[in-house]
Amino acid sequence: MSSNSFTGSIPDLGNLRLLKRLYLAGNNLTGESSKGELKFLSSLTNCRYLENIEVSLNQLNGVLPTSLGNLSASLQMFEAFGCKIKGTIPAGIGNLTSLTGIYLDSNELTGFIPNTIGKLKNLERIYLEYNRLEGYIPTAICQLSKLGDIYISHNMIGGAIPACFGELKSLQRVYLDSNNLTSTIPLNFWNLNGLVGLNLSTNSFKGYLPSEISNLKAATDVDLSWNQFSGDIPSSIGSAQSIVYLSMAHNKLQGHIPESLSNLISLETLDLSFNNLSGMIPKSLETLRYLRHFNVSVNELEGEIPSGGCFSNFSSESFRQNHELCGVARLQVLPCRTKHSKSKSVSSLIKYVVPPLLSTILIVTILLILIRRRNQYVKMKTEESQLAAIHSPVAFLRNVSYLELVRATDSFSEANLLGKGSFGTVYRGKLDDGTDVAVKVFHSLSERATKSFYAECKILSNIRHRNLTKILSCCSTTDFKALVLDYMPNSNLERWLYSQDCCLSMLQRLNIAIDVASALEYLHCGLTTPIVHCDLKPNNILLDDEMTAHLCDFGIAKIFEQDMHMAQTKTLATIGYMAPEYGIHGTVSTSGDIYSFGITLLEMFTGKKPTDDMFGEEMNLKSLVGESLRRKSLMEVLDSDLMRDSEQLSEVLLQQFVSSIFCLALECLNDSPEDRMSISNIVDGLRKAKLEYLAIRGKAEKAA
């Protein structure tokens, strides 16, 4: 009776004495319980021929009974994932010696994995991911000689991987990610040459990666990211030629990127970001014809970035924050010196060394004096041009005349009005060449508006990112100042969150959140000196025709100088979004933008403004979500539009996913700026959340 719309409780089926297979998955059935235990499971102990139980994706909302171990000795499959099952796994499960598969993932199980699981000699698959299990991985699992898959991701399991794991030669997929596992990986673990998938990410593993990693010859997916691995990447990894996905990001790896990675001929994704890697990017990686995703950002790499093969498709994001890398201009790195210029400089040096010593000293002295005077002159001119750029933005942009803007906006008519702000008014317009634009006209009689105009000119003319608004031109006269910007046909995020005519799906909101976080990451980390936006809120997040988000309005933004981490300001940002230290002391820092992003993220998924009338001194948006997390009642605060958009997901899966988003947002809202998440971790966390959402949605659609 799977995949229907049955409701009500699963009845007592104990009288079906000849029952072999029970399939009730994908309904809305509940489990009538006595003392919290699921009674229908106890009744099935009378069915002595039972082989398969499949009750996944229902609303059982109960506890596995202790009588579970009294089910039929011939039971082979027990599938109950996504059912809101609570409590512990009964120790009696060890009596079901014919079991080949246990599917209890995406529930609310607590307690330990029972040692009695070691009695299940025929067990091939264990799926316990997305629960709240604690304790350790029992060594009794090593008695399961037929075990092929073990999934215990997203729990609270601690301790080390049992040393005996290396003896389970039948293992094919080991997913232990997102737990509290520690210590080093047992050396014999790398002898599991039958592994196809390995994910140890988001734990606290440490130590070196041994040369035995080359034994993973059958592995297609290897994720070791977000740990504390150190030392070099072993060159022997080139022997694991089946790897398609390889991530070692967010560790403490050092040394060079091994040339042998070019032997991974099937590789599609390689992520080595956020380590301490040095040396050059091997040119041999150009031969990886299937490589689509490559990231070595935030390391200490140097030298020329390869330009052939797959490297022609990579963007600057793949290489950011490696200050000694050089390459083509589109990668936003230093230009490389050519061999010709190097040989020329060497020849010149020899030429000046050859003359007599006395003549050389005289010539060098004269040259130094001339160079010093020239540098002083260049420095003076540079400072003058910088000042001119600040006070005359037309220096770096094509001028648009006032009359052209009058024609473009139909004399700044109300029909073309897009919005009003503190310092100006925005109109839609069409330039003489047919370009659709947004014209931001500043209140030129206001000193603050004039400062805002120059600030936006200075910032927007020096930043380039797909998620930042783009300045096209400007118009500046004595009594009129305006910016000409890209026109965004889908208005701003605030309209989409609160208009009755607009509705954003879960995936769209995730994409917008990732876009905005990526823009902040660029402003905070991708420039020589950080830029703090200071006024992040839904009204300043514009959406283009493809619903890509663009951060706008840099009127009160701050450009930090070298080694500067915070500043003081008297300009207030928007109430409800600004960080506590901003509102109280006027302290501006990149952490203030993180706080504003956290508030915006909560607003996007709750549909509630931080200034809503329901909030007061005792309750605000942050405390509302925090309390709902504590009470496990997230569905009460989730935007109702998202509930309808995610109807195909079970409530437990939806709650688990939303919990990860809200937890990330609250990590941005710590009162102490030092305790807030870094923007790079936010971007990674949101991208990971998006992948998890797509996975659980795909799983739900497949089940349907």
Side-chain angles (χ1 to χ4, degrees):
M1 298 181 180
S2 298
S3 302
N4 282 288
S5 300
F6 290 119
T7 59
S9 60
I10 300 176
D12 184 328
L13 300 172
N15 289 331
L16 303 179
R17 300 300 176 96
L18 301 179
L19 187 64
K20 286 188 176 183
R21 290 174 289 278
L22 176 63
Y23 297 110
L24 300 176
N27 285 287
N28 294 309
L29 296 168
T30 58
E32 185 180 340
S33 61
S34 174
K35 298 181 180 178
E37 293 188 345
L38 298 171
K39 287 176 61 177
F40 82 92
L41 285 176
S42 296
S43 73
L44 292 176
T45 58
N46 294 324
C47 306
R48 306 317 300 168
Y49 299 98
L50 198 58
E51 295 177 355
N52 291 356
I53 297 176
E54 165 61 290
V55 292
S56 301
L57 297 174
N58 281 290
Q59 305 293 316
L60 300 185
N61 199 26
V63 176
L64 296 174
T66 54
S67 60
L68 187 72
N70 297 330
L71 290 171
S72 167
S74 58
L75 187 67
Q76 297 174 16
M77 299 291 291
F78 183 63
E79 300 188 32
F81 61 82
C83 290
K84 291 187 177 179
I85 296 176
K86 300 175 172 60
T88 60
I89 302 173
I93 198 171
N95 298 332
L96 307 177
T97 53
S98 296
L99 271 180
T100 60
I102 299 174
Y103 298 77
L104 287 172
D105 50 297
S106 301
N107 281 296
E108 299 172 22
L109 293 169
T110 55
F112 300 163
I113 302 173
N115 279 315
T116 54
I117 204 169
K119 298 179 181 180
L120 307 178
K121 304 298 184 183
N122 293 303
L123 198 60
E124 298 173 359
R125 291 175 292 280
I126 302 174
Y127 295 97
L128 297 174
E129 70 268 30
Y130 289 99
N131 280 288
R132 300 171 190 165
L133 297 171
E134 302 174 281
Y136 305 98
I137 302 174
T139 55
I141 286 182
C142 297
Q143 301 171 29
L144 308 178
S145 59
K146 297 181 180 179
L147 189 64
D149 294 356
I150 176 168
Y151 285 68
I152 59 172
S153 311
H154 293 271
N155 280 285
M156 296 179 282
I157 306 293
I161 296 177
C164 56
F165 252 50
E167 301 167 10
L168 294 174
K169 300 301 182 183
S170 57
L171 276 177
Q172 292 186 335
R173 296 172 184 85
V174 177
Y175 285 74
L176 310 179
D177 54 289
S178 302
N179 278 288
N180 300 320
L181 295 167
T182 57
S183 191
T184 57
I185 309 297
L187 187 59
N188 65 351
F189 181 87
W190 303 106
N191 294 331
L192 297 173
N193 51 22
L195 280 182
V196 174
L198 174 64
N199 193 337
L200 304 179
S201 68
T202 320
N203 283 289
S204 297
F205 291 119
K206 57 185 178 181
Y208 299 109
L209 296 175
S211 59
E212 283 78 4
I213 198 172
S214 62
N215 292 330
L216 303 180
K217 298 185 185 300
T220 59
D221 295 90
V222 178
D223 193 343
L224 305 177
S225 62
W226 291 93
N227 281 290
Q228 298 175 31
F229 291 118
S230 55
D232 295 351
I233 300 174
S235 60
S236 60
I237 196 172
S239 299
Q241 293 188 0
S242 295
I243 293 180
V244 174
Y245 176 94
L246 176 61
S247 178
M248 297 182 177
H250 291 274
N251 279 289
K252 300 177 181 178
L253 298 171
Q254 56 193 41
H256 292 190
I257 299 174
E259 292 270 357
S260 61
L261 285 174
S262 61
N263 295 332
L264 304 183
I265 54 176
S266 301
L267 199 61
E268 295 180 6
T269 296
L270 177 60
D271 193 343
L272 303 176
S273 60
F274 290 88
N275 281 289
N276 300 312
L277 298 172
S278 57
M280 300 179 67
I281 300 173
K283 189 172 177 60
S284 59
L285 297 183
E286 292 178 339
T287 61
L288 296 175
R289 57 184 298 188
Y290 300 111
L291 192 62
R292 297 292 179 269
H293 306 284
F294 180 74
N295 193 350
V296 291
S297 61
V298 194
N299 278 288
E300 299 172 8
L301 299 171
E302 59 186 30
E304 184 173 4
I305 297 173
S307 56
C310 55
F311 280 82
S312 61
N313 299 319
F314 301 143
S315 70
S316 60
E317 289 294 308
S318 297
F319 310 101
R320 63 183 181 82
Q321 292 195 52
N322 287 277
H323 302 299
E324 299 300 320
L325 283 177
C326 67
V328 295
R330 69 177 179 83
L331 299 180
Q332 298 179 18
V333 294
L334 297 170
C336 296
R337 292 181 62 188
T338 63
K339 292 181 180 179
H340 176 72
S341 63
K342 287 182 180 178
S343 60
K344 185 177 180 180
S345 63
V346 171
S347 300
S348 298
L349 180 62
I350 295 174
K351 182 179 178 180
Y352 283 112
V353 169
V354 171
L357 182 60
L358 196 58
S359 300
T360 302
I361 293 173
L362 180 61
I363 292 172
V364 170
T365 302
I366 294 172
L367 285 174
L368 287 174
I369 292 171
L370 292 174
I371 289 171
R372 184 177 179 183
R373 288 181 178 178
R374 181 179 179 277
N375 285 343
Q376 288 175 341
Y377 176 77
V378 170
K379 183 179 179 182
M380 180 185 67
K381 288 296 183 182
T382 301
E383 290 174 350
E384 288 176 357
S385 62
Q386 288 175 342
L387 287 172
I390 294 174
H391 295 292
S392 180
V394 295
F396 47 73
L397 294 172
R398 176 179 70 87
N399 264 324
V400 173
S401 70
Y402 172 75
L403 289 177
E404 185 175 358
L405 292 184
V406 170
R407 290 193 299 270
T409 60
D410 192 17
S411 299
F412 305 105
S413 70
E414 289 289 324
N416 287 322
L417 181 65
L418 295 176
K420 294 183 178 181
S422 303
F423 302 132
T425 306
V426 183
Y427 299 90
R428 180 178 180 177
K430 187 184 287 290
L431 297 180
D432 291 347
D433 62 4
T435 304
D436 285 323
V437 294
V439 182
K440 184 174 182 180
V441 180
F442 289 77
H443 306 313
S444 57
L445 298 179
S446 163
E447 182 181 352
R448 291 177 63 198
T450 303
K451 288 182 178 179
S452 175
F453 170 72
Y454 286 123
E456 286 212 63
C457 283
K458 181 177 181 181
I459 291 173
L460 291 176
S461 64
N462 287 289
I463 56 178
R464 295 288 185 275
H465 192 274
R466 68 183 294 270
N467 298 122
L468 295 175
T469 188
K470 182 182 178 183
I471 184 171
L472 302 178
S473 188
C474 71
C475 178
S476 178
T477 67
T478 306
D479 54 358
F480 180 84
K481 288 176 172 53
L483 296 179
V484 183
L485 308 167
D486 260 346
Y487 172 67
M488 298 292 160
N490 279 316
S491 188
N492 57 45
L493 176 59
E494 183 170 6
R495 171 175 171 262
W496 281 84
L497 289 178
Y498 301 109
S499 171
Q500 293 182 351
D501 302 326
C502 305
C503 180
L504 291 171
S505 68
M506 181 75 79
L507 190 56
Q508 284 176 316
R509 296 185 202 215
L510 277 172
N511 286 333
I512 291 170
I514 292 171
D515 286 344
V516 176
S518 299
L520 287 181
E521 185 179 33
Y522 170 76
L523 294 174
H524 293 179
C525 309
L527 301 165
T528 306
T529 56
I531 295 176
V532 183
H533 186 274
C534 294
D535 198 18
L536 177 62
K537 57 184 178 181
N539 197 43
N540 286 338
I541 298 169
L542 303 180
L543 301 170
D544 64 18
D545 52 356
E546 296 180 349
M547 296 302 287
T548 300
H550 301 258
L551 190 56
C552 72
D553 197 346
F554 288 80
I556 62 172
K558 301 293 181 186
I559 304 177
F560 281 12
E561 298 176 359
Q562 197 72 35
D563 300 323
M564 186 175 171
H565 301 290
M566 64 176 60
Q568 299 295 125
T569 184
K570 294 181 180 179
T571 305
L572 280 182
T574 305
I575 300 296
Y577 297 92
M578 58 181 165
E581 69 275 9
Y582 191 164
I584 298 172
H585 305 294
T587 304
V588 173
S589 70
T590 54
S591 295
D593 279 353
I594 301 299
Y595 186 95
S596 301
F597 179 80
I599 292 292
T600 302
L601 193 60
L602 291 184
E603 184 176 356
M604 287 174 64
F605 286 87
T606 62
K608 292 181 175 61
K609 294 185 178 183
T611 53
D612 194 285
D613 292 339
M614 69 180 292
F615 300 130
E617 293 183 3
E618 297 182 359
M619 174 71 75
N620 56 33
L621 183 56
K622 174 184 173 182
S623 60
L624 175 70
V625 174
E627 179 64 16
S628 69
L629 277 169
R630 188 186 67 80
R631 293 190 292 106
K632 301 181 179 64
S633 57
L634 294 179
M635 298 302 101
E636 295 178 6
V637 299
L638 185 65
D639 190 339
S640 57
D641 287 340
L642 291 179
M643 295 283 287
R644 290 190 291 272
D645 175 58
S646 305
E647 285 180 348
Q648 75 273 26
L649 302 183
S650 69
E651 186 174 320
V652 63
L653 290 177
L654 181 58
Q655 179 142 319
Q656 285 175 351
F657 169 72
V658 173
S659 173
S660 67
I661 295 294
F662 284 162
C663 286
L664 185 149
L666 292 178
E667 283 291 313
C668 300
L669 298 178
N670 285 312
D671 289 336
S672 171
E674 294 79 14
D675 293 336
R676 294 170 198 156
M677 286 186 76
S678 71
I679 189 60
S680 297
N681 288 348
I682 291 171
V683 173
D684 290 337
L686 288 171
R687 286 174 177 164
K688 189 172 183 180
K690 178 182 174 181
L691 292 175
E692 289 177 0
Y693 175 73
L694 292 173
I696 62 176
R697 192 177 72 171
K699 191 174 183 180
E701 289 173 351
K702 186 177 180 181

